[in-house]
Amino acid sequence: MKNLLPFFLLFTLIHTSAAAQDEAASYAIKGRLQDADKKPVPFANIALYSFNDSTLIGGSTSDENGAFTVPAESGKYFLKITFLSLNEVIVPNVNVINQDTNIGVVAMTSSAQTLQELVVRGEKSQMDLQLDKRVFNVGKDLSNIGSNASDILNNMPSVTVDVEGNVALRGSGNVRILIDGKQSGMVGLNPAEALRQIPGDLIESIEIITNPSSRYDAEGEVGILNIVMKKNIRYGLNGSFTGTAGYPSNFGGSFNVNYRAKKVNLIANYGLMYREGPGRGSSRQEYNGADTSFVYEQNTTRNRSGYSNNVMVGADYFLNNFNTFTGTLSFRKSQNDNQSQLTYRDYDFNNALTQTVIRTENETEPRTNIEAAFNYKKTFEKKGQSLTVDAKYILSDETEAAKYNQTGDINETSIAQRSYNTEDERNFLAQLDYIQPFGKDGKIETGLKTSIRRLDNDFSVHQRDDEMRWIILPAYDNMFTYDEKIHAAYLMASNQFGKLFIQAGLRGEYSDILTELKKTSQTNHRQYFNVFPSIHLSYKMQETQTLQLSYSYRLSRPNFRDLLPFSNFSDSRVFRAGNPLLNPEFTHSFEAGHLINMEKGTLLSSIYYRHRLGVVENITSVDSTGFTTVTPVNLSTGDAYGFEFNLTYDPAPWWKLTANANIFRAVNQGVYNDKILKSDTYTWTSRFSSRITLFKAVDFQSSLNYRAPRRTTQGRDLSVYFIDLGLSKDVLKGRGTITASVRDLLNSNKRRSIVENAGYYSRSEFQFRQRQFLVTLSYRLNRSKERQNMDSKGDNGDED
């Protein structure tokens, strides 16, 4: 607790100051709204802005009689009044001088444009470039509608998601995934599966941060993917509702609502989803050793089904113009039921079938995640000066319980097994961030963060003997604990000198990590302190062109799954296990980018270089019985060179094109068991999308994704491609949208790989989920589609 004492002392001082500021006298701005027919306009949004710098001060909503009251201190203001299908009204020169102010009746007229025209001409851009990140508004891509977080990430530039759900950025899986700029238990224990449980309808945008500044955690070799969830702060009652149906079975519904009145903003969202994911695969293994040789083929069919519930409730309390308190509570509960069948066919080297073995699996996988978060933000009279305090507690539980039955056609042998794998996580985070402006454009940022995390994993495999008793297999029975304490501090400064903007910072992180296999008394305690510098330069060459340069030093700590000695027992001939002795990777990352803003589009091109130390590689080894083990080790050093571009271009008002590609070379080399392993590969990933508006009312989108072949230290991954289509139309006078889409039109999204070692060859193909058809209906309550100039919360709570 002594680590948290500075937080509590500073919070007490701030709260005392806030209470003193709240004693300032407050008055009211009153009025009444009418439409062109002299009828009251109920539930319109009234926003109050400072006349001097256009800062949003507060607001309210009109009642059923059109009357409204906005609290305000003495000062000079203007009002912005908005209501769906009516023209926006600006009321200038609203002066409050030591008494209430009544502005009388405000008339609102019907828009001369149709709502549909308003939507097409003013929608948010799909990509927004900022100094250290690219922000993608996911709702603009029709293939994202009705999908989940994993599908959405797979549509992002330079991001790939393999058939098992593993996420990679610029070809590397060492990427940090955040929710609303913070660590989250929603993607903590098993990110691949957890991302499939987050409904895409609850996601606002994706931020891709390839060279994070010092305000972010140093974790993540290639950077950060930040999933920004929807959270409205518009005045009055508003929100959105979505329903989805698809084949194979994919049903879901969600809502996202908020109510803002005077000093309180209430928020709530909920998502329910049920999915089935039928998949299949095949492989061929050949082994030729000094004493034995074997060949076998494997065919796999499986269906992963289950439901998930995601609910979040919260409130913002605006104590006054300078102090805001926010509290949220999130709960997710899911249940997966997975069935699979593996068929092994053994052959001799004359390709004659010698044995057939069938192994079935029935697994249940319940998960529970609870998160409580608190945020306090204080602003000051000086523009840009702020202080924030964040705290979060995460509680996650997951259990995997499976039953296996294996039969062979030789002597009609039968094996019954079962496995248990429980994973429990407790995580507490606290952080403090302060920004102090100086001069015209300069600012200094500093902050502290502490994270205390505990994970417990109890795993065992049981086998039934001839007397029908369940006997524990000693090689697969242990209890693994993971204790992690990370304390960090950072200091960063930035300023603008004419056309040049400079940002530089240092971040120090102290790591204290203890892992223990309790039943075998194996412990591994690591303590280390590292300093991570970062620098960002931005130069505005012309009004339409910007050049960016950046450098950062980062690390990638082994995640829980990489350390866990036990994974699952579904495949009796291939065992994937973690390595408790893994060390972190360290990366030097350099990047240069050039942005061109054209009349009809933008072109962002980047070149990058990464040098990695202690690179983790999955090593495949096979014994003389045909048992294959896949284990991660700190194998090599690595260098990656790449070129990346993102293009948006509108050939016509009704036609939008986007294209992106990441072309890179990756070189890895290391030694394992006295053998040099290396790879040198040239490869690329790309996505092209075309969106056409037909008859001014229907949007049609098609997109092509392609991943080129890639060499690995023990073989190669083959190419992958898939096509997505989408069609959408606004209904219900613009308040609703119906979308129909098909993902993986040609059923071609399959992982294909080859592993080659001395005396060993393996070729495999696997499809996690087959082609999918979706229909989605969304409805907006007191909201039109997003428009560029609509006020929205700009600060998404970046991990500071």
Side-chain angles (χ1 to χ4, degrees):
M1 289 299 291
K2 64 180 181 180
N3 295 323
L4 304 180
L5 185 58
F7 289 98
F8 294 128
L9 291 176
L10 185 55
F11 177 78
T12 302
L13 291 174
I14 294 168
H15 182 70
T16 303
S17 171
Q21 292 185 35
D22 198 37
E23 292 176 357
S26 181
Y27 304 101
I29 301 172
K30 300 179 181 180
R32 191 159 54 90
L33 305 180
Q34 289 184 350
D35 62 16
D37 298 324
K38 306 294 184 182
K39 295 180 179 179
V41 180
F43 310 117
N45 295 327
I46 299 95
L48 177 68
Y49 293 87
S50 169
F51 182 83
N52 295 325
D53 58 8
S54 299
T55 301
L56 178 63
I57 302 299
S60 183
T61 182
S62 58
D63 62 21
E64 61 273 12
N65 298 314
F68 65 86
T69 299
V70 182
E73 298 174 2
S74 292
K76 193 173 183 179
Y77 306 96
F78 69 89
L79 296 175
K80 181 187 290 185
I81 304 173
T82 56
F83 186 74
L84 188 67
S85 78
L86 296 181
N87 281 320
E88 178 182 275
V89 176
I90 302 293
V91 182
N93 299 321
V94 179
N95 298 316
V96 178
I97 306 174
N98 298 327
Q99 63 180 359
D100 294 348
T101 299
N102 195 322
I103 63 174
V105 176
V106 179
M108 302 189 72
T109 59
S110 298
S111 173
Q113 294 177 309
T114 65
L115 180 62
Q116 226 168 42
E117 289 172 336
L118 176 68
V119 168
V120 172
R121 296 181 185 181
E123 65 181 11
K124 280 184 179 177
S125 61
Q126 188 166 342
M127 183 187 78
D128 176 28
L129 178 67
Q130 300 179 20
L131 177 65
D132 57 356
K133 61 187 174 185
R134 289 169 288 162
V135 182
F136 293 87
N137 300 300
V138 302
K140 297 303 155 195
D141 191 329
L142 299 185
S143 62
N144 289 332
I145 298 175
S147 59
N148 57 50
S150 182
D151 295 332
I152 289 174
L153 288 176
N154 203 26
N155 283 334
M156 294 295 107
S158 304
V159 179
T160 56
V161 180
D162 66 20
V163 294
E164 292 181 344
N166 300 307
V167 179
L169 175 62
R170 287 180 172 174
S172 173
N174 290 326
V175 57
R176 177 81 152 170
I177 300 177
L178 305 176
I179 303 291
D180 287 332
K182 305 290 189 299
Q183 294 171 239
S184 174
M186 295 176 70
V187 293
L189 294 176
N190 187 354
E193 185 60 35
L195 289 169
R196 298 189 184 105
Q197 305 295 331
I198 301 176
D201 307 316
L202 301 182
I203 298 175
E204 178 73 22
S205 60
I206 302 292
E207 297 178 350
I208 299 179
I209 311 170
T210 52
N211 236 359
S213 63
S214 298
R215 75 168 65 92
Y216 295 96
D217 284 353
E219 178 76 28
E221 170 224 332
V222 287
I224 293 170
L225 296 174
N226 183 29
I227 301 173
V228 180
M229 307 301 286
K230 289 180 178 177
K231 180 186 177 185
N232 302 314
I233 60 167
R234 293 174 178 84
Y235 289 92
L237 176 65
N238 60 83
S240 60
F241 302 82
T242 302
T244 297
Y247 175 84
S249 296
N250 186 340
F251 303 98
S254 66
F255 67 79
N256 175 55
V257 296
N258 85 288
Y259 178 75
R260 174 76 184 269
K262 297 182 180 180
K263 291 190 174 185
V264 177
N265 179 55
L266 303 177
I267 54 177
N269 62 51
Y270 174 73
L272 171 64
M273 182 171 60
Y274 174 80
R275 293 166 61 91
E276 291 186 5
R280 62 187 62 198
S282 62
S283 66
R284 181 178 174 89
Q285 326 280 331
E286 299 177 3
Y287 178 80
N288 188 6
D291 301 322
T292 184
S293 299
F294 66 84
V295 176
Y296 78 85
E297 293 180 350
Q298 176 182 313
N299 288 287
T300 304
T301 59
R302 74 175 183 184
N303 183 44
R304 300 179 67 87
S305 63
Y307 71 88
S308 66
N309 292 272
N310 295 266
V311 61
M312 187 274 286
V313 294
D316 301 303
Y317 178 66
F318 306 95
L319 183 65
N320 52 34
N321 293 340
F322 301 99
N323 296 275
T324 302
F325 297 88
T326 301
T328 60
L329 180 64
S330 302
F331 175 77
R332 188 187 71 188
K333 186 172 182 60
S334 64
Q335 171 77 45
N336 279 2
D337 294 296
N338 308 318
Q339 292 84 36
S340 66
Q341 177 174 300
L342 288 77
T343 302
Y344 308 95
R345 293 182 176 87
D346 295 311
Y347 298 88
D348 60 25
F349 262 81
N350 294 319
N351 211 33
L353 181 65
T354 60
Q355 179 183 215
T356 299
V357 177
I358 297 176
R359 182 177 178 86
T360 61
E361 175 193 22
N362 289 281
E363 180 189 53
T364 59
E365 196 174 2
R367 294 186 182 91
T368 302
N369 172 256
I370 301 173
E371 297 185 19
F374 168 81
N375 169 267
Y376 167 70
K377 183 170 185 178
K378 177 177 175 59
T379 56
F380 300 82
E381 293 282 358
K382 189 171 186 178
K383 185 177 181 181
Q385 185 181 5
S386 68
L387 185 144
T388 59
V389 178
D390 289 278
K392 176 182 280 193
Y393 182 72
I394 301 170
L395 181 67
S396 298
D397 297 300
E398 179 178 337
T399 301
E400 300 171 4
K403 296 179 180 180
Y404 311 99
N405 189 58
Q406 181 172 307
T407 58
D409 59 2
I410 295 180
N411 300 324
E412 296 184 352
T413 57
S414 177
I415 298 175
Q417 296 170 326
R418 64 186 185 188
S419 67
Y420 298 96
N421 189 11
T422 62
E423 300 166 2
D424 302 324
E425 177 184 14
R426 308 292 183 271
N427 195 350
F428 175 75
L429 305 99
Q431 67 184 72
L432 179 149
D433 304 280
Y434 177 72
I435 300 176
Q436 174 65 54
F438 67 89
K440 182 181 177 182
D441 300 302
K443 63 180 178 180
I444 295 175
E445 302 178 52
T446 187
L448 303 170
K449 180 178 180 181
T450 186
S451 171
I452 302 171
R453 188 182 184 204
R454 165 86 180 209
L455 296 104
D456 294 293
N457 172 246
D458 190 0
F459 63 90
S460 61
V461 177
H462 307 240
Q463 183 166 311
R464 195 163 56 192
D465 63 13
D466 295 337
E467 298 180 7
M468 306 303 287
R469 297 174 302 179
W470 289 104
I471 306 299
I472 293 178
L473 301 182
Y476 305 104
D477 177 34
N478 218 319
M479 179 176 288
F480 179 72
T481 61
Y482 177 87
D483 281 297
E484 175 189 87
K485 300 179 183 68
I486 299 174
H487 309 292
Y490 73 90
L491 178 65
M492 190 165 65
S494 61
N495 205 351
Q496 188 160 346
F497 305 92
K499 294 183 177 182
L500 178 66
F501 181 85
I502 301 177
Q503 175 183 277
L506 283 175
R507 184 181 186 91
E509 291 192 356
Y510 172 74
S511 304
D512 182 355
I513 300 173
L514 173 66
T515 60
E516 182 180 5
L517 288 166
K518 291 192 171 183
K519 293 187 179 181
T520 52
S521 300
Q522 296 172 267
T523 62
N524 189 7
H525 193 190
R526 291 179 173 84
Q527 295 174 298
Y528 46 91
F529 176 78
N530 304 98
V531 176
F532 302 95
S534 71
I535 184 167
H536 291 75
L537 305 176
S538 178
Y539 181 73
K540 197 167 189 178
M541 302 169 62
Q542 301 176 13
E543 193 63 31
T544 59
Q545 295 190 50
T546 302
L547 178 67
Q548 294 182 345
L549 301 173
S550 62
Y551 162 78
S552 67
Y553 180 50
R554 304 187 59 74
L555 89 164
S556 296
R557 299 180 185 89
N559 64 45
F560 177 65
R561 290 280 178 175
D562 287 336
L563 297 171
L564 184 62
F566 178 81
S567 177
N568 66 65
F569 212 63
S570 59
D571 189 338
S572 62
R573 300 191 182 187
V574 178
F575 184 71
R576 301 179 184 274
N579 179 1
L581 301 179
L582 281 180
N583 291 312
E585 297 183 17
F586 292 90
T587 303
H588 295 275
S589 177
F590 303 83
E591 185 169 348
H594 180 225
L595 174 67
I596 302 177
N597 290 302
M598 302 171 288
E599 181 180 354
K600 294 187 176 182
T602 61
L603 174 62
L604 173 63
S605 53
S606 306
I607 57 174
Y608 61 87
Y609 167 68
R610 297 194 308 270
H611 178 67
R612 303 161 62 194
L613 301 171
V615 178
V616 175
E617 297 268 1
N618 285 321
I619 298 299
T620 300
S621 57
V622 184
D623 64 20
S624 59
T625 66
F627 188 77
T628 302
T629 303
V630 182
T631 307
V633 299
N634 292 102
L635 175 69
S636 60
T637 59
D639 294 281
Y641 318 78
F643 167 73
E644 181 181 65
F645 76 85
N646 295 273
L647 172 68
T648 64
Y649 183 70
D650 301 345
W654 47 268
W655 191 8
K656 299 179 182 294
L657 299 175
T658 62
N660 61 76
N662 176 37
I663 305 164
F664 63 97
R665 179 191 182 193
V667 182
N668 291 330
Q669 180 170 320
V671 178
Y672 182 71
N673 287 343
D674 298 324
K675 180 181 179 182
I676 296 177
L677 298 177
K678 62 181 179 179
S679 65
D680 187 350
T681 184
Y682 294 83
T683 187
W684 54 290
T685 64
S686 62
R687 185 173 190 260
F688 175 80
S689 177
S690 171
R691 180 173 174 177
I692 298 173
T693 301
L694 306 171
F695 316 114
K696 296 183 179 181
V698 178
D699 287 332
F700 173 72
Q701 178 179 296
S702 58
S703 60
L704 169 65
N705 295 265
Y706 179 76
R707 302 172 198 163
R710 177 179 181 176
R711 289 193 174 275
T712 65
T713 52
Q714 289 189 294
R716 59 190 184 273
D717 296 328
L718 304 183
S719 62
V720 178
Y721 71 93
F722 53 95
I723 296 172
D724 298 333
L725 301 178
L727 195 69
S728 75
K729 185 182 187 312
D730 288 340
V731 295
L732 304 175
K733 297 182 179 180
R735 292 179 174 85
T737 302
I738 187 167
T739 304
S741 63
V742 55
R743 299 185 63 88
D744 192 12
L745 177 68
L746 303 180
N747 221 25
S748 57
N749 188 5
K750 302 174 182 178
R751 182 190 64 189
R752 299 178 299 149
S753 61
I754 294 174
V755 176
E756 291 180 287
N757 290 326
Y760 176 73
Y761 174 87
S762 170
R763 184 184 181 101
S764 63
E765 176 179 297
F766 189 78
Q767 181 181 33
F768 187 86
R769 189 183 62 203
Q770 66 187 47
R771 175 176 48 232
Q772 189 166 58
F773 301 90
L774 291 171
V775 176
T776 300
L777 175 64
S778 61
Y779 177 78
R780 294 170 288 277
L781 174 66
N782 290 336
R783 293 173 58 189
S784 63
K785 277 187 177 178
E786 299 293 344
R787 292 173 287 163
Q788 271 185 326
N789 295 325
M790 263 195 159
D791 51 340
S792 61
K793 189 170 184 179
D795 181 5
N796 290 315
D798 290 344
E799 183 191 63
D800 296 325

